[in-house]
Every structure is written in C-alpha cells, then in structure tokens.
C-alpha cells in the first residue's frame, strides 16, 4: 500500500503544535488529496489505528501549509469515524467541497441515497456536533456516527449509519432522526425496525414527487383558433356534390 506524501522534505515544523504531532507518513494510506500552491488538504486512512485503544477513529484529515522560503511547515489534523465527516472538516478550513473525491482502489457508494447523505454531511458546515461513534474496522461491516443537528427544528439527534458490502466493494450511508440520545441509543441497541428517516429527506422526496406530478399534468397551451373560413359563393348552375 502507498503512503501519504506530505511533501515535507527539507522542511522543519514551524511551531510546537506541529512538532508535537509526530506523524509517520508510512502509517497513513492516502484516500483523497487537494493541493493549492503550498497548501495540501489530505484525507488518509490510519493503518495502525487497529493497534490503538479500541474504537480509535481511523480516518484522518490533514491541513498542511508549507513555507519553502523559510524551510518550515505547519500541520493540523483531526480524526473521524466516517469519510464525509473528514471531508467536512477540510471544507470548513477552505477546501472546495467537490475537490476531495477518493482516488485509487477504494470502496464506492452503493447508491444515490448514499451520495446525497454524504454530500449533506460534507457541506453541513458546523451544524453537526459529534456526540458518539462506532468505528468500522477490520472485518466489521458497520459503523455509525451520532450527532446533534443544531439547525433541526424537530428530531435533532441524528445517527449516520454506514454499512459495507465487501463482495461488491461498496457501502451505504443512511441518516436517521431521533428526539434525544436515549431514543437513538435504544434504536442502535435493539434495532426494532428500519432507521427512522430524517424529516429533510421526506420533504425532499415529497418535493420531487410534487414536481414530477406537476410536470406530468402541465398542458401545453393550444394553438389559437383560426376564424372560420369564409363560405365560397355557390354557383347555382353547378351540380350538387361536385368538388369546387
């Protein structure tokens, strides 16, 4: 597996915070990267997280700024339990939302719903406050992130459930909505039924259905009626039924 290239050859940490990160590039497998001049936005998989304390978040975002004129660099990093949350962290630091598509041989979204849910997370700014998570690691086929949607009027506690399909090398992500943490935790523990759909998606589906119905029912305006043709004068000497 390839390692992340942070582009730090000949550079020294610019501050104590950067120096304290103790990053070993060989520990990280690249998922996505976007470069702007001497700045890099990077999403990577931590290959050694399995050996860390249980449930260590294994997807890491890096924001790297180099200054070759001073031979220094600064770096910030953040761990996440899901790809879209890692992308969101970088988008909030100035990376374009569409610039972090995974590259290489990685698993892909299984359907359009997964694409829409991940895009919502990616573009959510700071409205989603992470409260709990379960990391998908090794042979696991499920992980989740629990968050509070600060802008939700109803059912503010959200569960983003990720499930993988190893045989197809795909995964799905769904968003469920709950009144509080107890209800969300009870659902995760007992799985009494389908993940309760978030109101935003029901509204979106209703809007799409309404738009489709209106499109089908729209009647094109009729062409304006032409005035009746003037009657041709009848020649009394012509035989009835003869074409004029």
């Amino acid at each position: 597996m390839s390692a992340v290239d942070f582009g730090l050859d000949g550079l020294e940490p610019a501050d104590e915070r950067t120096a304290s990160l103790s990053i070993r590039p060989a520990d990280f497998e690249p998922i996505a990267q976007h470069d702007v001049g001497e700045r890099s936005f990077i999403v990577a998989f931590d290959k050694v997280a399995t050996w860390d304390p249980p449930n260590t978040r294994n997807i890491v975002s890096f924001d790297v700024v180099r200054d070759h004129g001073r031979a220094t660099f600064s770096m910030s990093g953040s761990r996440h339990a899901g790809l879209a949350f890692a992308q969101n962290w970088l988008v909030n630091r100035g990376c374009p939302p569409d610039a972090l598509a995974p590259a290489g041989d990685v698993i892909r979204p299984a359907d359009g719903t997964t694409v829409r849910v991940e895009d919502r997370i990616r573009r959510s700014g700071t409205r989603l406050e992470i409260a709990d998570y379960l990391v998908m690691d090794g042979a696991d086929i499920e992980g989740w992130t629990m968050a509070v949607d600060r802008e939700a009027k109803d059912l503010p506690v959200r569960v983003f459930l990720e499930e993988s399909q190893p045989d197809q090398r795909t995964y799905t992500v769904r968003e469920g909505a709950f009144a509080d943490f107890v209800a969300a935790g009870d659902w995760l523990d007992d799985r009494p039924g389908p993940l309760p759909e978030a109101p935003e998606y029901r509204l979106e589906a209703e809007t799409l259905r309404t738009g489709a119905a209106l499109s089908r029912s729209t009647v094109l305006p009729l062409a304006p009626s032409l005035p009746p043709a003037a009657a041709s004068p009848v020649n009394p000497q012509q035989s009835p039924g003869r074409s004029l």
Side-chain angles (χ1 to χ4, degrees), residues 57-216:
R57 290 170 290 178
N58 50 19
I59 299 179
V60 190
S61 301
F62 293 103
D63 181 5
V64 184
V65 180
R66 309 170 196 83
D67 186 342
H68 282 87
R70 298 181 179 180
T72 62
F73 74 94
S74 60
M75 180 186 295
S76 299
S78 179
R79 290 184 174 272
H80 310 273
L83 171 62
F85 286 97
Q87 295 168 325
N88 166 262
W89 188 84
L90 292 172
V91 170
N92 290 343
R93 299 177 73 87
C95 183
D98 298 320
L100 291 168
D105 184 23
V106 297
I107 64 174
R108 301 291 178 178
D111 52 28
T113 300
T114 298
V115 173
R116 289 195 297 274
V117 174
E118 289 195 310
D119 192 59
R120 161 169 152 73
I121 297 169
R122 188 180 304 115
R123 300 173 186 271
S124 63
T126 59
R127 67 182 287 175
L128 295 172
E129 181 181 357
I130 307 302
D132 200 0
Y133 56 87
L134 178 68
V135 170
M136 186 186 298
D137 194 18
D140 299 334
I141 62 171
E142 179 184 290
W144 49 263
T145 299
M146 187 184 298
V148 176
D149 186 339
R150 297 187 179 99
E151 298 182 16
K153 296 180 180 178
D154 301 305
L155 306 174
V157 176
R158 303 301 171 91
V159 170
F160 296 90
L161 181 68
E162 180 176 348
E163 296 177 293
S164 69
Q165 300 82 41
D167 294 342
Q168 290 80 35
R169 291 191 58 75
T170 60
Y171 66 94
T172 58
V173 181
R174 297 291 187 266
E175 179 180 356
F178 300 87
D180 50 43
F181 292 120
V182 173
D186 287 346
W187 187 91
L188 287 168
D189 291 339
D190 302 331
R191 307 298 171 99
L195 185 66
E197 189 177 33
E200 292 84 352
Y201 298 95
R202 292 198 296 271
L203 179 61
E204 177 182 309
E206 291 170 2
T207 300
L208 290 174
R209 286 195 296 269
T210 301
L214 289 174
S215 177
R216 289 194 299 269

Side-chain angles (χ1 to χ4, degrees), residues 31-53:
I31 296 176
Q33 180 167 339
H34 178 65
D35 299 316
V36 182
E38 294 201 303
R39 188 174 189 178
S40 294
F41 301 99
I42 300 170
V43 180
F45 177 74
D46 184 353
K47 297 182 288 186
V48 302
T50 299
W51 310 109
D52 290 335

